[in-house]
Amino acid sequence: MNNREIVSLVIDELEKRSIIKKNCSTYKNTERILYDYPKLKESIKDRKEQIKEYKKFGLPSKSKSITSFSLSSSKERKDVEDILEQTIRSLTKDIYKTEVVIKFIDRVLDRFKNDPYISIISLYYFEGKTHEQIAEIFDKKKNNSKSIASTTIASNKYRLIKELQKYIFPNDYLYQLLGY
């Protein structure tokens, strides 16, 4: 898969899951992706667990009413097996798409690994820390007498999102920048 196909798959998948919205700014959509990034990772674990359960126990069956009776014909068993196979295939495809999205986001974030403030992204969006809490973390890391203001954290977060959006939404960014 080339980069264009990956970006297209990522954008389509994020739109389907309502993580990004067409009428939102690229800045807001970049933030939405970052907020949902940990949930996307968790959804892979959940789907893999769901596949294990389906393989072990089969699909959940509908509850039987008092008046119903079961026809255990081989055709019905085959239909259930086909549905199970389709369900597992569908979940596997969803896992793959989610993994592509996560790898894409990881690659974009990796471009900024040398930025001294890149950890703001994970602290703020993935761990839910406030600007003040992040400033305290930076103060402890720097271990100097001059403390970092929460406004420094906020301005660097803004700067990083502006940079990240160029890689996540290059076409939308150019459209907003140039108006075409």
Side-chain angles (χ1 to χ4, degrees):
M1 214 183 273
N2 66 32
N3 275 346
R4 180 176 282 237
E5 293 170 328
I6 290 171
V7 170
S8 179
L9 177 86
V10 168
I11 300 301
D12 288 346
E13 192 63 21
L14 294 172
E15 283 177 349
K16 276 187 219 169
R17 294 176 186 221
S18 297
I19 293 173
I20 62 171
K21 298 189 178 184
K22 288 189 182 213
N23 296 334
C24 280
S25 70
T26 54
Y27 185 90
K28 281 291 181 198
N29 278 332
T30 302
E31 283 194 309
R32 290 174 64 98
I33 289 170
L34 294 172
Y35 278 125
D36 285 345
Y37 177 82
K39 295 174 197 155
L40 290 172
K41 281 187 153 184
E42 195 62 35
S43 76
I44 290 174
K45 292 177 192 171
D46 292 344
R47 288 188 182 121
K48 285 181 178 179
E49 189 60 37
Q50 195 174 13
I51 289 172
K52 281 182 192 174
E53 288 178 17
Y54 286 166
K55 285 181 177 179
K56 188 174 181 180
F57 302 111
L59 291 172
S61 59
K62 295 178 182 175
S63 90
K64 308 271 184 199
S65 72
I66 297 172
T67 59
S68 71
F69 58 95
S70 175
L71 297 172
S72 296
S73 71
S74 62
K75 182 176 178 356
E76 286 177 345
R77 280 193 298 274
K78 179 69 173 151
D79 289 345
V80 170
E81 289 172 9
D82 287 345
I83 292 169
L84 175 63
E85 188 178 308
Q86 285 177 326
T87 303
I88 290 172
R89 230 186 346 249
S90 176
L91 285 168
T92 303
K93 187 177 176 183
D94 287 345
I95 289 169
Y96 171 76
K97 287 179 180 180
T98 305
E99 287 174 337
V100 168
V101 170
I102 287 170
K103 286 177 186 172
F104 175 75
I105 296 167
D106 286 342
R107 274 199 337 261
V108 170
L109 290 171
D110 195 50
R111 290 177 176 266
F112 297 89
K113 66 184 173 199
N114 294 326
D115 189 299
Y117 291 98
I118 191 62
S119 60
I120 291 172
I121 299 299
S122 61
L123 292 167
Y124 187 83
Y125 293 100
F126 307 162
E127 297 178 29
K129 305 271 189 222
T130 65
H131 292 151
E132 292 76 19
Q133 291 170 323
I134 297 169
E136 288 176 20
I137 291 168
F138 271 80
D139 286 344
K140 288 177 187 173
K141 275 187 197 176
K142 302 262 184 196
N143 209 10
N144 60 16
S145 60
K146 192 174 181 182
S147 66
I148 295 176
S150 62
T151 54
T152 302
I153 299 301
S155 64
N156 277 288
K157 179 181 73 85
Y158 178 80
R159 175 187 60 81
L160 286 163
I161 296 298
K162 293 298 273 182
E163 290 298 314
L164 289 168
Q165 75 182 10
K166 294 173 188 175
Y167 293 97
I168 297 174
F169 302 105
N171 293 342
D172 291 349
Y173 172 75
L174 287 173
Y175 178 79
Q176 286 181 349
L177 185 67
L178 303 173
Y180 63 83

